[in-house]
Amino acid sequence: MEGTSRSWHPKLADPSGMRQAKPRFSGKTMVIDKGLGINALEDLLETAAAHIDMIKVGFGTSPLYPRKLLERKIELAKRYGIRIFPGGTFLEVAVTKDVTDLYFKGITALGFDGVEVSDGTIELPRDARSRLIAQGKEAGLTVFTEYGKKCWGSTIEIEDLIRTVRTDIRLGAELVTIEGRESGAGVGIFDADGACRDDKIQAVLDRIEKPEQLLWEAPQKSQQVHLLNMLGPDINIGNVAPQDILSLEALRRGLRSDTFDFILDHKSRAGLVYELTFEI
């Protein structure tokens, strides 16, 4: 540290020199909350709020909390400038039970400022998906949509994905999530072992004009490393476990060996390769 400053020098805090401060245009991180208590959430936000952009209250867990506790969680996230929304499965339940009006009234009354529109478990026609996006916007919510099925072995249909992304964004969705589940295996861009299907990823990137409009669900560290090295540190990543926020941010900044190249210019990379080769 220089002089009497109590802050880390920028070259140490972010050796990549590429991270944006919140509110970010890209490089967003979404946390999946599968049951954090209020004290755990307070600890998480005190420690890592600067590195969290969205919190998803996973699946359909929202009605399982005591109402006052859930309201406190929502208020706390918003106090730290973090979007918070229920998992898309909860809306799919509302669609199935034909109570979507009650759903939107309920989540806005609680204080949620986002909504996820998905069809991971149900079949949702395009016109119904469009209506839900419009309903979310009319309710004053930030709309996040999701593409992909949750069933084991499901994969990405490229043409359908491209149409979905373009239409959702045109209708006002902020981001379109590529389904990866909380397991990150056997679905979407991941094979049965959780490895990335690079051909699918590249096929998507070849057709999407603005990749910053996508959010990649990648719960496993190996997936995060692979996607960051393949697509760059400022991709949007979701379904990140609360305990992994700082480790993911370290990856984004080149503060872990897995992404050390982010801090090197072309000459430095060449020198590093030479030195390693020489030592061997």
Side-chain angles (χ1 to χ4, degrees), residues 30 32 56 116 120 146-152 154 156 177-191 194 215-220 223 227 238-239:
M30 179 265 279
I32 183 168
K56 175 164 67 176
E116 184 175 62
E146 184 175 72
Y147 177 88
K149 297 298 181 184
K150 296 184 182 298
C151 59
W152 180 268
S154 63
I156 292 174
T177 301
I178 308 298
E179 174 69 69
R181 301 209 71 180
E182 79 281 5
S183 63
V187 65
I189 62 168
F190 305 121
D191 66 19
L215 183 145
W216 306 85
E217 288 187 344
Q220 299 181 25
Q223 297 164 350
L227 288 170
N239 276 12

Short mmCIF file of all heavy atoms in Angstrom, two decimals, residues 30 32 56 116 120 146-152 154 156 177-191 194 215-220 223 227 238-239:
data_model
loop_
_atom_site.label_atom_id
_atom_site.label_comp_id
_atom_site.label_asym_id
_atom_site.label_seq_id
_atom_site.Cartn_x
_atom_site.Cartn_y
_atom_site.Cartn_z
N MET A 30 -24.91 -13.27 -10.52
CA MET A 30 -26.19 -13.58 -9.87
C MET A 30 -25.98 -14.71 -8.88
O MET A 30 -25.44 -15.76 -9.22
CB MET A 30 -27.25 -13.96 -10.91
CG MET A 30 -28.60 -14.31 -10.29
SD MET A 30 -28.80 -16.10 -10.02
CE MET A 30 -29.25 -16.62 -11.67
N ILE A 32 -27.54 -17.54 -6.30
CA ILE A 32 -28.74 -18.32 -6.01
C ILE A 32 -28.82 -18.56 -4.51
O ILE A 32 -27.88 -19.07 -3.89
CB ILE A 32 -28.78 -19.64 -6.81
CG1 ILE A 32 -30.10 -20.38 -6.53
CG2 ILE A 32 -27.57 -20.52 -6.52
CD1 ILE A 32 -30.37 -21.54 -7.46
N LYS A 56 -31.22 -14.44 -6.68
CA LYS A 56 -32.42 -15.20 -7.01
C LYS A 56 -32.80 -16.07 -5.81
O LYS A 56 -31.99 -16.88 -5.36
CB LYS A 56 -32.19 -16.07 -8.25
CG LYS A 56 -33.38 -16.98 -8.57
CD LYS A 56 -33.31 -17.54 -9.98
CE LYS A 56 -32.17 -18.50 -10.18
NZ LYS A 56 -32.19 -19.11 -11.54
N GLU A 116 -38.38 -13.43 -12.78
CA GLU A 116 -37.79 -14.32 -13.79
C GLU A 116 -38.90 -15.03 -14.53
O GLU A 116 -39.76 -15.68 -13.91
CB GLU A 116 -36.85 -15.34 -13.14
CG GLU A 116 -36.15 -16.22 -14.17
CD GLU A 116 -35.13 -17.17 -13.54
OE1 GLU A 116 -35.53 -18.02 -12.72
OE2 GLU A 116 -33.94 -17.04 -13.88
N GLY A 120 -38.72 -23.71 -17.80
CA GLY A 120 -37.82 -24.84 -17.60
C GLY A 120 -38.53 -26.14 -17.32
O GLY A 120 -38.01 -27.22 -17.61
N GLU A 146 -35.38 -16.74 -19.03
CA GLU A 146 -34.48 -17.89 -19.03
C GLU A 146 -34.84 -18.79 -20.20
O GLU A 146 -36.03 -19.01 -20.48
CB GLU A 146 -34.60 -18.66 -17.71
CG GLU A 146 -33.63 -19.83 -17.58
CD GLU A 146 -33.71 -20.47 -16.20
OE1 GLU A 146 -34.72 -21.15 -15.93
OE2 GLU A 146 -32.78 -20.28 -15.40
N TYR A 147 -33.81 -19.31 -20.86
CA TYR A 147 -34.04 -20.25 -21.96
C TYR A 147 -33.47 -21.61 -21.59
O TYR A 147 -32.33 -21.71 -21.12
CB TYR A 147 -33.35 -19.76 -23.24
CG TYR A 147 -33.50 -20.76 -24.37
CD1 TYR A 147 -34.61 -20.72 -25.21
CD2 TYR A 147 -32.56 -21.78 -24.57
CE1 TYR A 147 -34.77 -21.66 -26.23
CE2 TYR A 147 -32.72 -22.71 -25.58
CZ TYR A 147 -33.82 -22.65 -26.41
OH TYR A 147 -33.99 -23.58 -27.40
N GLY A 148 -34.26 -22.66 -21.82
CA GLY A 148 -33.76 -24.01 -21.62
C GLY A 148 -34.62 -24.81 -20.66
O GLY A 148 -35.29 -24.25 -19.79
N LYS A 149 -34.60 -26.12 -20.84
CA LYS A 149 -35.36 -27.03 -20.00
C LYS A 149 -34.48 -27.59 -18.89
O LYS A 149 -33.27 -27.74 -19.05
CB LYS A 149 -35.92 -28.18 -20.84
CG LYS A 149 -36.92 -27.74 -21.90
CD LYS A 149 -38.15 -27.08 -21.29
CE LYS A 149 -39.16 -26.66 -22.35
NZ LYS A 149 -40.31 -25.94 -21.75
N LYS A 150 -35.12 -27.94 -17.77
CA LYS A 150 -34.39 -28.43 -16.61
C LYS A 150 -34.20 -29.95 -16.62
O LYS A 150 -33.46 -30.48 -15.80
CB LYS A 150 -35.12 -28.02 -15.32
CG LYS A 150 -35.16 -26.52 -15.11
CD LYS A 150 -35.81 -26.16 -13.78
CE LYS A 150 -35.90 -24.65 -13.60
NZ LYS A 150 -34.60 -23.97 -13.57
N CYS A 151 -34.89 -30.65 -17.53
CA CYS A 151 -34.81 -32.11 -17.52
C CYS A 151 -33.42 -32.58 -17.95
O CYS A 151 -32.75 -31.96 -18.78
CB CYS A 151 -35.88 -32.72 -18.42
SG CYS A 151 -35.80 -32.21 -20.14
N TRP A 152 -32.99 -33.69 -17.36
CA TRP A 152 -31.66 -34.26 -17.64
C TRP A 152 -31.52 -34.56 -19.13
O TRP A 152 -32.40 -35.13 -19.75
CB TRP A 152 -31.46 -35.53 -16.82
CG TRP A 152 -30.13 -36.17 -17.05
CD1 TRP A 152 -29.83 -37.14 -17.95
CD2 TRP A 152 -28.90 -35.86 -16.38
NE1 TRP A 152 -28.50 -37.47 -17.89
CE2 TRP A 152 -27.90 -36.70 -16.93
CE3 TRP A 152 -28.55 -34.96 -15.37
CZ2 TRP A 152 -26.57 -36.66 -16.50
CZ3 TRP A 152 -27.23 -34.93 -14.95
CH2 TRP A 152 -26.27 -35.77 -15.50
N SER A 154 -31.31 -32.39 -21.57
CA SER A 154 -31.79 -31.34 -22.47
C SER A 154 -30.62 -30.51 -22.97
O SER A 154 -29.60 -30.37 -22.29
CB SER A 154 -32.80 -30.44 -21.75
OG SER A 154 -32.19 -29.77 -20.67
N ILE A 156 -29.42 -27.16 -26.02
CA ILE A 156 -29.83 -25.89 -26.61
C ILE A 156 -30.20 -26.08 -28.08
O ILE A 156 -29.44 -26.68 -28.84
CB ILE A 156 -28.70 -24.86 -26.50
CG1 ILE A 156 -28.49 -24.46 -25.04
CG2 ILE A 156 -28.99 -23.62 -27.32
CD1 ILE A 156 -27.29 -23.57 -24.82
N THR A 177 -31.17 -15.66 -19.56
CA THR A 177 -30.31 -16.65 -18.90
C THR A 177 -30.29 -17.95 -19.69
O THR A 177 -31.34 -18.43 -20.13
CB THR A 177 -30.84 -16.94 -17.47
OG1 THR A 177 -30.85 -15.72 -16.73
CG2 THR A 177 -29.98 -17.97 -16.77
N ILE A 178 -29.10 -18.52 -19.86
CA ILE A 178 -28.95 -19.84 -20.46
C ILE A 178 -29.01 -20.87 -19.33
O ILE A 178 -28.14 -20.89 -18.46
CB ILE A 178 -27.63 -19.98 -21.23
CG1 ILE A 178 -27.45 -18.81 -22.22
CG2 ILE A 178 -27.56 -21.32 -21.94
CD1 ILE A 178 -28.50 -18.73 -23.28
N GLU A 179 -30.02 -21.70 -19.34
CA GLU A 179 -30.27 -22.66 -18.26
C GLU A 179 -29.06 -23.55 -17.98
O GLU A 179 -28.43 -24.07 -18.89
CB GLU A 179 -31.47 -23.54 -18.63
CG GLU A 179 -31.77 -24.67 -17.67
CD GLU A 179 -32.29 -24.17 -16.33
OE1 GLU A 179 -33.43 -23.66 -16.29
OE2 GLU A 179 -31.55 -24.30 -15.34
N GLY A 180 -28.75 -23.68 -16.69
CA GLY A 180 -27.67 -24.57 -16.27
C GLY A 180 -27.98 -25.29 -14.98
O GLY A 180 -27.20 -26.09 -14.50
N ARG A 181 -29.16 -24.97 -14.41
CA ARG A 181 -29.60 -25.51 -13.13
C ARG A 181 -28.58 -25.19 -12.03
O ARG A 181 -27.53 -24.62 -12.28
CB ARG A 181 -29.86 -27.01 -13.20
CG ARG A 181 -30.92 -27.41 -14.22
CD ARG A 181 -31.66 -28.67 -13.81
NE ARG A 181 -32.55 -28.42 -12.68
CZ ARG A 181 -33.31 -29.37 -12.13
NH1 ARG A 181 -33.26 -30.61 -12.59
NH2 ARG A 181 -34.10 -29.07 -11.11
N GLU A 182 -28.92 -25.59 -10.81
CA GLU A 182 -27.98 -25.37 -9.70
C GLU A 182 -26.91 -26.43 -9.67
O GLU A 182 -25.88 -26.27 -8.99
CB GLU A 182 -28.73 -25.31 -8.37
CG GLU A 182 -29.13 -26.65 -7.78
CD GLU A 182 -30.37 -27.24 -8.42
OE1 GLU A 182 -30.88 -26.66 -9.41
OE2 GLU A 182 -30.84 -28.28 -7.95
N SER A 183 -27.10 -27.53 -10.44
CA SER A 183 -26.11 -28.61 -10.46
C SER A 183 -25.04 -28.38 -11.52
O SER A 183 -23.89 -28.77 -11.35
CB SER A 183 -26.81 -29.94 -10.73
OG SER A 183 -27.42 -29.94 -12.02
N GLY A 184 -25.44 -27.76 -12.65
CA GLY A 184 -24.48 -27.54 -13.74
C GLY A 184 -24.05 -28.81 -14.43
O GLY A 184 -22.91 -28.94 -14.85
N ALA A 185 -24.96 -29.77 -14.59
CA ALA A 185 -24.60 -31.04 -15.24
C ALA A 185 -25.79 -31.58 -16.00
O ALA A 185 -26.93 -31.53 -15.53
CB ALA A 185 -24.14 -32.06 -14.21
N GLY A 186 -25.51 -32.09 -17.21
CA GLY A 186 -26.52 -32.77 -18.01
C GLY A 186 -27.64 -31.90 -18.53
O GLY A 186 -28.74 -32.38 -18.81
N VAL A 187 -27.36 -30.60 -18.72
CA VAL A 187 -28.40 -29.69 -19.19
C VAL A 187 -27.75 -28.50 -19.89
O VAL A 187 -26.63 -28.10 -19.55
CB VAL A 187 -29.28 -29.22 -18.01
CG1 VAL A 187 -28.47 -28.38 -17.04
CG2 VAL A 187 -30.50 -28.44 -18.49
N GLY A 188 -28.44 -27.95 -20.89
CA GLY A 188 -27.97 -26.74 -21.56
C GLY A 188 -26.61 -26.89 -22.21
O GLY A 188 -26.41 -27.75 -23.07
N ILE A 189 -25.66 -26.06 -21.78
CA ILE A 189 -24.32 -26.07 -22.38
C ILE A 189 -23.38 -27.05 -21.68
O ILE A 189 -22.19 -27.09 -22.00
CB ILE A 189 -23.69 -24.66 -22.38
CG1 ILE A 189 -23.53 -24.15 -20.93
CG2 ILE A 189 -24.51 -23.70 -23.23
CD1 ILE A 189 -22.67 -22.90 -20.82
N PHE A 190 -23.90 -27.84 -20.73
CA PHE A 190 -23.05 -28.74 -19.95
C PHE A 190 -23.39 -30.21 -20.23
O PHE A 190 -24.57 -30.57 -20.30
CB PHE A 190 -23.21 -28.47 -18.45
CG PHE A 190 -22.95 -27.05 -18.06
CD1 PHE A 190 -23.92 -26.29 -17.44
CD2 PHE A 190 -21.72 -26.45 -18.33
CE1 PHE A 190 -23.69 -24.97 -17.09
CE2 PHE A 190 -21.47 -25.14 -17.99
CZ PHE A 190 -22.46 -24.39 -17.37
N ASP A 191 -22.35 -31.03 -20.37
CA ASP A 191 -22.59 -32.45 -20.57
C ASP A 191 -22.85 -33.13 -19.22
O ASP A 191 -22.94 -32.47 -18.18
CB ASP A 191 -21.43 -33.11 -21.32
CG ASP A 191 -20.12 -33.13 -20.54
OD1 ASP A 191 -20.14 -32.97 -19.29
OD2 ASP A 191 -19.06 -33.32 -21.17
N GLY A 194 -20.64 -32.20 -16.43
CA GLY A 194 -20.52 -30.78 -16.10
C GLY A 194 -19.53 -30.03 -16.97
O GLY A 194 -19.30 -28.84 -16.73
N LEU A 215 -26.86 -14.25 -19.76
CA LEU A 215 -26.32 -14.64 -18.47
C LEU A 215 -26.17 -16.15 -18.48
O LEU A 215 -27.12 -16.88 -18.77
CB LEU A 215 -27.24 -14.19 -17.33
CG LEU A 215 -26.74 -14.49 -15.91
CD1 LEU A 215 -27.16 -13.37 -14.96
CD2 LEU A 215 -27.25 -15.82 -15.39
N TRP A 216 -24.95 -16.62 -18.19
CA TRP A 216 -24.65 -18.05 -18.24
C TRP A 216 -24.72 -18.63 -16.84
O TRP A 216 -23.96 -18.21 -15.96
CB TRP A 216 -23.25 -18.28 -18.82
CG TRP A 216 -23.03 -17.65 -20.16
CD1 TRP A 216 -22.65 -16.36 -20.40
CD2 TRP A 216 -23.21 -18.26 -21.44
NE1 TRP A 216 -22.55 -16.13 -21.74
CE2 TRP A 216 -22.90 -17.28 -22.42
CE3 TRP A 216 -23.58 -19.55 -21.86
CZ2 TRP A 216 -22.95 -17.54 -23.78
CZ3 TRP A 216 -23.63 -19.81 -23.23
CH2 TRP A 216 -23.33 -18.82 -24.17
N GLU A 217 -25.63 -19.56 -16.61
CA GLU A 217 -25.65 -20.24 -15.32
C GLU A 217 -24.47 -21.21 -15.26
O GLU A 217 -24.36 -22.12 -16.09
CB GLU A 217 -26.98 -20.99 -15.12
CG GLU A 217 -28.14 -20.05 -14.88
CD GLU A 217 -29.43 -20.76 -14.52
OE1 GLU A 217 -29.53 -21.98 -14.75
OE2 GLU A 217 -30.35 -20.08 -14.02
N ALA A 218 -23.60 -21.01 -14.29
CA ALA A 218 -22.37 -21.82 -14.18
C ALA A 218 -22.03 -21.97 -12.70
O ALA A 218 -21.21 -21.23 -12.16
CB ALA A 218 -21.23 -21.15 -14.94
N PRO A 219 -22.64 -22.93 -12.02
CA PRO A 219 -22.42 -23.06 -10.58
C PRO A 219 -21.09 -23.66 -10.17
O PRO A 219 -20.64 -23.47 -9.05
CB PRO A 219 -23.57 -23.98 -10.15
CG PRO A 219 -23.90 -24.77 -11.37
CD PRO A 219 -23.67 -23.85 -12.52
N GLN A 220 -20.43 -24.38 -11.09
CA GLN A 220 -19.19 -25.05 -10.72
C GLN A 220 -17.97 -24.20 -11.07
O GLN A 220 -17.94 -23.52 -12.09
CB GLN A 220 -19.08 -26.40 -11.44
CG GLN A 220 -20.19 -27.37 -11.11
CD GLN A 220 -20.03 -28.70 -11.83
OE1 GLN A 220 -18.91 -29.09 -12.20
NE2 GLN A 220 -21.12 -29.40 -12.05
N GLN A 223 -16.48 -24.68 -14.50
CA GLN A 223 -17.27 -24.06 -15.56
C GLN A 223 -17.01 -22.56 -15.61
O GLN A 223 -16.89 -21.97 -16.70
CB GLN A 223 -18.76 -24.33 -15.30
CG GLN A 223 -19.12 -25.80 -15.35
CD GLN A 223 -20.46 -26.10 -14.72
OE1 GLN A 223 -21.08 -25.24 -14.07
NE2 GLN A 223 -20.94 -27.31 -14.89
N LEU A 227 -15.53 -20.70 -18.91
CA LEU A 227 -16.28 -19.64 -19.60
C LEU A 227 -15.54 -18.31 -19.56
O LEU A 227 -15.51 -17.57 -20.55
CB LEU A 227 -17.66 -19.50 -18.96
CG LEU A 227 -18.64 -20.63 -19.24
CD1 LEU A 227 -19.88 -20.50 -18.37
CD2 LEU A 227 -19.03 -20.67 -20.71
N GLY A 238 -24.40 -16.71 -13.56
CA GLY A 238 -25.46 -16.90 -12.58
C GLY A 238 -25.43 -18.23 -11.88
O GLY A 238 -24.61 -19.11 -12.20
N ASN A 239 -26.35 -18.38 -10.92
CA ASN A 239 -26.45 -19.57 -10.06
C ASN A 239 -25.15 -19.82 -9.30
O ASN A 239 -24.73 -20.96 -9.11
CB ASN A 239 -26.85 -20.81 -10.86
CG ASN A 239 -28.35 -20.90 -11.03
OD1 ASN A 239 -29.08 -19.94 -10.77
ND2 ASN A 239 -28.84 -22.05 -11.48
#
